[in-house]
Each structure stands twice: as C-alpha cells, then as structure tokens.
C-alpha cells in the first residue's frame, strides 16, 4: 500500500512541476509558432488557435499574454485582412503601453496604405 | 602534517563549492527596462531551421520574468518588410537604432553557436549552445550570458547485454531521425534568464498575471 501512495505522490508532484502555472496562460503559443515555422501551412492553424485562446481568456476575464493580440493581427495582415489587423494592433496597444509606439506606427502605416489604395482593400 | 592535510582537504572542498562570480547588474538596474525587443537570431550552426525555432522559445521566459516582450513574429515580419531577412543583417544594426525604431527599452540579440546531433554507434548526443546579449536603447550593453546544453538519452539496463544493445540502437535511431532541440533550448533559456547566476532582475509585470 505504502509504496503505491509514495508513487502516486511522486507522480503528482512531478505533474505539478510540469504544469507549474506561470503568470500567463499562453495557450500553446510557442508550440504553434514553432509548428508554423516548421511548416508554413500551419500558420492558419496558429491563427485559429490564438483566436480561440484569446476568446476563451476574454470570456473569463483573463489576462492575454504580451504580444498575442499583435501576433494575431499580423496573421490577419498576411491574409490581407487589414481592418482586422488594425483592430488587433489597437488592442495590443491598449493592453500594453510599452507597445504603443510600434502599434501606433503600424496602424498609421496600414491606414495610409488603405486610403491611398482603396481598390486594393476590396 | 595531519593538520596540513586537513587544511588542504578543506580548501579543496571550498574550491569545489565556490559559486561563479556574481554578475554585476548595475547597468541593468540603471536602465530599468520595461520592454525587450527580441530580434531574429544569428545562426552559426548548420541547421537552417535553428534561428526560427529558437526565436519561438524566447518570449515566454522573458514575459514570465515580468517584461513586455515585443511580438517576435510581428517584429520579424516588420523587419522583412524593411528588407532585413537574415538575423546577421539585423544584428549589424546599432541596437540604439533598432530600439528607437520599435520604441523598445532594450534589444536582445541571440547567436546560435551549436545546434547539432553527434552520432556514435549506439548513442546520440544533442547539443545546443547560445550567446545572449541585451543592449539598452542608449547603446549600453546591460547583460550577457552564454549557455550550452547537451543531452544523451540514457538507456536503462535490462540485465541482458544483447537486449540493451538493441534498445540503445533504437533510441539512437529515434534521436537521429528527429533530434528534438526544443526542450534543450527551453532549458538553456530558463538557465540564463531565470535560474542561473546570470538570471535577470524581475521586470515591472512580475507580480501581475492570471489574477489581474
């Protein structure tokens, strides 16, 4: 009996060690990024994955880790969905003041591009 | 004589236990960065995929340490739009210029020196080795570290030498077919940023997190 108890304790301690909660719930961000670098066709899976993760976090009032809104914005930008990208860059800026300079610069540049090339936006 | 031997013994023990020289964080603390711009890495290994894989592992430990980490893939895409496709080109830019372009307090440069698997007859050793350097937006280097991690899968003994040899060969074949560098890379990052003597001071968001 006792060895089993100890074994279970060891296993649960080991598991707790693996799952040690950090400050943020990343939703597998690093794995998705790795997979999409390994196989660029996985970037669509990454877009869906981050989108789903952010929605789940927001619905329970959780904190979205630094960079995630912007990374999702860039995945939309690469699909040509500029409006969605701008919205997400604005969210990153509002969540993290350190990103304001870059996010504002990107939003301004995307808006300028959109107004100078109205036909390309369609 | 006996006393001398004891003294020697004590000294040699002390010698073994001497920790590395504590790092000087004066410049880091003076810069008091809130944000870190992680730029694409330089690759001195032969594996062309290594820089991107490494890049994917860098944001999490730094953000967990309390810093705002610029979105690495977004930064990479922006740099590519500016014509910087390789880490080498980016690392040649003055850190102060990069920091200003992105509005970052510091820039983290990482260089890959080793990312390889060495094959012996029945075992394979996977090794990664990185140089890390952080520079403040005024151009001052505020932190640096190097880390090497190696991994050789251990084969448990079954008591039967032939069985052991077959097991070892299978294990080596698996490692050879798909050496998994990510756990080692994460370990190296943990060591330099969080656990080792080079561990960086906590950033402004350290106490924040899921409970906010």
């Amino acid at each position: 009996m006792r060895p089993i108890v100890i074994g279970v304790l060891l296993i649960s301690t080991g598991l707790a060690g693996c799952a040690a909660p950090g400050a943020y719930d990343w939703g597998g961000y690093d794995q998705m990024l790795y997979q999409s670098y390994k196989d660029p066709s996985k970037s669509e899976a990454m877009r869906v994955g981050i989108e789903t993760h952010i929605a789940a976090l927001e619905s329970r009032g959780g904190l979205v880790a630094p960079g995630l809104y912007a990374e999702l914005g860039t995945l939309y930008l690469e699909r040509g969905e500029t409006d969605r990208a701008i919205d997400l860059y604005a969210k990153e800026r509002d969540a993290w003041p350190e990103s304001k300079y870059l996010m504002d610069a990107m939003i301004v540049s995307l808006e300028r591009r959109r107004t100078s090339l109205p036909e390309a936006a369609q | 004589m006996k006393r001398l031997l004891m003294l020697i013994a004590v000294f040699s023990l002390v010698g073994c236990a001497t920790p590395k020289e504590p790092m000087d964080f004066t410049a880091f603390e003076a810069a008091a960065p809130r944000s870190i711009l992680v730029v694409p890495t330089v690759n001195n290994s032969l594996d062309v995929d290594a820089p991107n894989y490494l890049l994917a592992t860098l944001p999490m430990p730094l953000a967990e340490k309390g810093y705002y980490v610029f979105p690495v893939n977004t930064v990479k895409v922006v740099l590519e739009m500016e014509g910087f496709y390789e880490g080498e080109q980016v690392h040649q830019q003055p850190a102060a210029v990069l920091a200003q372009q992105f509005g970052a307090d510091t820039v983290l440069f990482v260089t890959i020196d080793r990312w390889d698997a060495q094959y012996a007859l029945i075992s394979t050793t996977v090794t990664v080795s990185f140089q890390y350097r952080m520079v403040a937006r005024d151009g001052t280097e505020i932190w640096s570290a190097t880390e090497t991690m190696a991994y050789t899968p251990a084969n448990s003994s079954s008591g039967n030498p032939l069985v052991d040899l077959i097991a070892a060969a299978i294990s080596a074949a698996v490692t050879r077919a798909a050496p998994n560098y990510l756990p080692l890379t994460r370990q190296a990052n943990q060591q330099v940023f969080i656990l080792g003597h080079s561990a960086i001071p906590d950033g402004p968001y350290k106490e924040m997190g899921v409970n906010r």
Side-chain angles (χ1 to χ4, degrees):
Chain A
M1 188 65 195
R2 181 149 293 171
I4 293 175
V5 171
I6 292 172
V8 168
L9 263 177
L10 281 177
I11 289 168
S12 52
T13 324
L15 286 177
C18 294
Y24 306 107
D25 180 352
W26 292 85
Y29 164 71
D30 65 336
Q31 277 297 332
M32 287 189 277
L33 190 53
Y34 169 78
Q35 293 297 341
S36 74
Y37 283 144
K38 200 171 184 173
D39 173 5
S41 73
K42 298 267 170 66
S43 81
E44 175 60 12
M46 180 171 180
R47 185 189 64 77
V48 173
I50 297 184
E51 182 113 70
T52 312
H53 173 63
I54 288 179
L57 271 182
E58 283 179 339
S59 72
R60 61 178 145 99
L63 178 63
V64 176
L68 288 193
Y69 284 123
E71 297 289 51
L72 184 57
T74 298
L75 292 169
Y76 272 108
L77 184 63
E78 288 176 324
R79 286 161 55 100
E81 296 185 42
T82 307
D83 290 352
R84 188 85 181 98
I86 289 174
D87 288 349
L88 286 157
Y89 291 149
K91 278 191 151 182
E92 178 79 17
R93 172 194 64 199
D94 297 343
W96 304 99
E98 292 79 8
S99 73
K100 182 171 168 31
Y101 182 87
L102 177 61
M103 294 301 126
D104 281 346
M106 293 184 72
I107 291 169
V108 166
S109 129
L110 290 178
E111 281 173 344
R112 195 180 296 148
R113 196 163 80 182
R114 191 171 51 182
T115 48
S116 68
L117 295 167
E119 68 277 19
Q122 285 158 17
Chain B
M1 187 60 189
K2 205 172 181 185
R3 185 179 275 182
L4 184 65
L5 279 177
M6 269 182 69
L7 262 178
I8 290 170
V10 167
F11 270 109
S12 55
L13 283 178
V14 170
C16 292
T18 303
K20 283 186 185 171
E21 191 87 343
M23 256 183 85
D24 181 5
F25 287 103
T26 319
F28 196 108
E29 278 155 8
R34 299 181 59 85
S35 63
I36 301 173
L37 176 72
V38 181
V39 294
T41 61
V42 163
N43 191 13
N44 293 332
S45 83
L46 295 176
D47 190 324
V48 293
D49 295 322
N52 282 341
Y53 295 173
L54 170 60
L55 193 65
T57 66
L58 289 166
M60 283 173 55
L62 293 168
E64 295 293 341
K65 197 69 183 145
Y67 294 91
Y68 176 75
V69 182
F70 285 79
V72 286
N73 189 52
T74 300
V75 168
K76 183 174 182 289
V77 168
V78 168
L79 286 167
E80 284 170 0
M81 286 173 182
E82 303 289 325
F84 295 95
Y85 289 94
E86 299 294 333
E88 284 80 359
Q89 297 169 282
V90 179
H91 285 225
Q92 280 163 13
Q93 302 306 304
V97 171
L98 288 167
Q100 276 164 28
Q101 277 172 347
F102 287 87
D105 293 342
T106 58
V107 185
L108 174 68
F109 299 96
V110 187
T111 299
I112 303 163
D113 284 331
R114 286 194 62 185
W115 181 282
D116 54 66
Q118 288 189 324
Y119 308 124
L121 185 60
I122 55 163
S123 70
T124 300
T125 301
V126 182
T127 307
V128 297
S129 182
F130 308 124
Q131 297 170 42
Y132 304 78
R133 197 164 67 92
M134 224 183 267
V135 183
R137 63 180 299 151
D138 66 359
T140 321
E141 181 176 306
I142 57 169
W143 177 87
S144 70
T146 58
E147 189 61 61
T148 302
M149 290 273 169
Y151 168 70
T152 308
N155 298 301
S156 53
S157 175
S158 67
N160 178 333
L162 182 60
V163 170
D164 284 352
L165 193 65
I166 294 168
I170 291 171
S171 162
V174 169
T175 312
R176 194 171 312 172
N180 192 350
Y181 296 99
L182 276 201
L184 271 187
T185 301
R186 288 205 190 93
Q187 238 178 309
N189 295 339
Q190 285 285 323
Q191 192 60 29
V192 295
F193 296 131
I194 294 164
L195 302 173
H197 83 298
S198 64
I200 59 174
D202 288 346
Y205 291 111
K206 181 60 184 169
E207 297 308 326
M208 247 173 66
V210 285
N211 296 326
R212 190 178 77 163

